[in-house]
């Protein structure tokens, strides 16, 4: 009798990731820290899209920058393709950077205005010593074809393109080194709705054709639902819920996820929907609440919620939730799988 086949190792594993920034404080008092990322765990499989959602300031973009090693973690572990990359110096990180690329939010400020499109796309090839000038030029033209740009525009400058075209340039630059993982940091939030759809469809087509994995960071829940295989919900530096996209959107378990989804405008304006209004405001990451960070706004909070930090546990198959009172709120029995 043979057992079930072993689950393939994920392309990316993040465990206990933290990033604390020093904050201004009293001259002779204790040091203060902005806990931007405060213990994040997630995985991304090859060819998968993980959506990362949450309110502004919850730490989503910082997670992306840490994974791309544009910033250094305070603590935790990042494993890419079986290799720990958390503590690598710049020299050892250079080959890893070819496999992890990033698409930034603002397609204008992320492009050098003094360089032509051809120069922007060729730059990563030069930095990583890829081919000669002729082969690099051919690669640049191929990249422009892949993202839907005209080859004859290769010598134009970024200001000569529309916002959607500039974001296509940013996507082409991310593809230049043939990466395996692309971190998309709010890639369509600065674009018109009609252009957003074009860029999202382009990313889906590229993933299908090139076998890419995405970490898709956004506050737009409808966009995340359309592109993601799984969704992780973030609140004040921590993941509070993670599951397949269909489960998150049809049966959210964490009270914050439920409130977040209820605030999104429904596709049908005549639909009978009830918005959940959370009391209070998001606490400061300098002085987050003890225990569960959501306890000061949660309608189901009890004294024990402030006494201990809830763990991210599997309450249903592949449905992870960080909540001490979930069994009472939802009538569930925890499967007692702790991912921390």
């Amino acid at each position: 009798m043979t057992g079930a086949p072993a689950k393939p190792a994920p392309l990316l594993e993040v465990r206990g990731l933290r990033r604390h920034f020093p904050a201004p404080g009293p001259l002779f008092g204790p040091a203060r820290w902005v806990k931007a990322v405060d213990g994040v765990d997630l995985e991304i499989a090859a060819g998968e899209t993980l959506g990362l959602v949450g309110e502004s300031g919850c730490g989503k973009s910082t997670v992306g920058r840490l994974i791309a090693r544009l910033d250094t973690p305070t603590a935790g572990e990042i494993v890419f393709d079986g290799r720990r990359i958390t503590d690598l110096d710049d020299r050892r990180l250079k080959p890893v950077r070819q496999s992890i690329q990033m698409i930034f939010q603002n397609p204008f400020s992320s492009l050098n205005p003094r360089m032509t499109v051809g120069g922007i796309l060729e730059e990563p090839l030069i930095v990583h010593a890829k081919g000669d000038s002729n082969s690099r030029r051919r690669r640049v033209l191929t990249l422009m074809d892949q993202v839907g740009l005209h080859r004859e525009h290769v010598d134009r400058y970024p200001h000569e393109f529309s916002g959607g075209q500039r974001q296509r340039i940013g996507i082409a630059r991310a593809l230049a080194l043939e990466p395996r993982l692309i971190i998309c940091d709010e890639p369509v939030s600065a674009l018109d709705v009609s252009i957003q759809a074009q860029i999202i469809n382009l990313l889906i087509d590229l993933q299908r054709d090139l076998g890419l994995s995405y970490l898709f960071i956004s506050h737009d829940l409808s966009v995340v639902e359309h592109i993601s295989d799984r969704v992780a919900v973030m609140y004040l530096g921590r993941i509070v819920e993670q599951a397949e996209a269909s489960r998150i959107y049809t049966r959210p378990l964490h009270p914050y996820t439920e409130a977040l989804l209820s605030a999104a405008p429904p596709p049908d304006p005549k639909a009978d929907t009830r918005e959940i209004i959370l009391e209070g405001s998001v606490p400061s990451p300098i002085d987050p609440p003890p225990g569960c960070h959501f306890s000061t706004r949660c309608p189901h909070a009890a004294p024990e919620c402030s006494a201990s930090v809830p763990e991210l546990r599997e309450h249903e198959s592949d449905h992870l939730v960080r909540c001490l009172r979930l069994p009472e709120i939802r009538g569930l029995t925890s499967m007692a799988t702790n991912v921390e």
Side-chain angles (χ1 to χ4, degrees):
M1 182 176 178
T2 59
K7 184 179 178 181
L11 178 65
L12 175 75
E13 295 179 86
V14 173
R15 293 286 176 263
L17 192 64
R18 286 177 167 81
R19 183 62 173 107
H20 298 173
F21 297 95
L27 184 61
F28 299 105
R32 305 178 72 202
W33 299 91
V34 177
K35 298 177 180 178
V37 177
D38 199 27
V40 164
D41 304 276
L42 55 84
E43 295 180 355
I44 302 178
E48 180 186 40
T49 298
L50 175 66
L52 185 59
V53 302
E55 295 171 286
S56 296
C58 71
K60 306 185 301 295
S61 293
T62 304
V63 169
R65 291 180 61 86
L66 290 171
I67 292 172
R69 286 302 317 275
L70 299 179
D71 200 355
T72 303
T74 302
E77 184 177 52
I78 304 170
V79 177
F80 179 76
D81 198 20
R83 181 185 183 187
R84 178 185 167 95
I85 66 171
T86 321
D87 306 314
L88 297 183
D89 57 25
D90 288 341
R91 181 182 61 82
R92 292 184 295 168
L93 266 176
K94 189 172 182 179
V96 177
R97 294 192 193 281
Q98 298 182 45
S99 296
I100 304 177
Q101 290 291 305
M102 199 159 182
I103 302 170
F104 297 94
Q105 177 177 358
N106 190 322
F108 191 75
S109 63
S110 63
L111 302 177
N112 189 334
R114 298 185 178 185
M115 296 179 69
T116 64
V117 173
I120 290 171
L121 299 185
E122 188 180 10
E123 185 178 31
L125 302 174
I126 295 173
V127 170
H128 289 269
K130 298 289 186 179
D132 57 21
S133 60
N134 291 330
S135 64
R136 291 196 299 265
R137 184 72 171 187
R138 290 194 296 270
R139 176 63 177 158
V140 166
L141 296 177
T142 299
L143 289 168
M144 295 186 71
D145 291 340
Q146 284 183 307
V147 299
L149 294 171
H150 296 295
R151 289 189 172 199
E152 56 267 28
H153 296 166
V154 69
D155 293 321
R156 290 188 178 183
Y157 290 85
H159 73 271
E160 299 179 80
F161 294 88
S162 68
Q165 289 173 321
R166 286 196 289 265
Q167 195 58 295
R168 289 174 186 268
I169 297 169
I171 293 171
R173 181 178 58 185
L175 293 174
L177 296 171
E178 301 180 341
R180 300 182 63 190
L181 171 66
I182 296 181
I183 298 165
C184 308
D185 186 13
E186 302 269 10
V188 297
S189 63
L191 307 176
D192 294 337
V193 174
S194 60
I195 306 301
Q196 286 183 12
Q198 295 177 19
I199 297 300
I200 291 298
N201 289 334
L202 172 62
L203 290 172
I204 292 173
D205 291 342
L206 290 170
Q207 183 177 49
R208 180 196 62 221
D209 296 339
L210 304 176
L212 299 169
S213 298
Y214 294 141
L215 174 63
F216 193 92
I217 301 168
S218 180
H219 63 270
D220 190 324
L221 297 173
S222 61
V223 170
V224 171
E225 181 181 18
H226 180 67
I227 195 173
S228 301
D229 299 302
R230 290 186 301 118
V231 174
V233 182
M234 197 168 179
Y235 181 82
L236 206 61
R238 294 174 179 169
I239 302 295
V240 296
E241 186 166 3
Q242 186 173 315
E244 291 181 1
S246 58
R247 290 192 186 186
I248 292 289
Y249 283 88
T250 59
R251 191 169 182 266
L253 296 181
H254 195 281
Y256 174 67
T257 308
E258 189 177 32
L260 195 66
L261 291 173
S262 75
D268 182 0
K270 298 181 180 180
D272 183 16
T273 59
R274 178 178 63 91
E275 182 178 354
I276 300 173
I277 306 297
L278 297 176
E279 296 183 359
S281 57
V282 180
S284 169
I286 297 178
D287 188 25
C292 174
H293 284 175
F294 188 59
S295 61
T296 56
R297 304 176 73 196
C298 180
H300 307 288
E304 63 264 28
C305 297
S306 300
S308 60
V309 178
E311 298 168 341
L312 192 62
R313 292 184 176 273
E314 187 175 28
H315 288 270
E316 295 181 343
S317 178
D318 295 324
H319 197 149
L320 309 175
V321 188
R322 188 189 295 272
C323 181
L324 291 171
R325 302 195 65 233
L326 190 64
E328 301 170 56
I329 298 171
R330 306 296 186 206
L332 300 174
T333 300
S334 174
M335 298 176 69
T337 301
N338 177 13
V339 301
E340 293 189 328

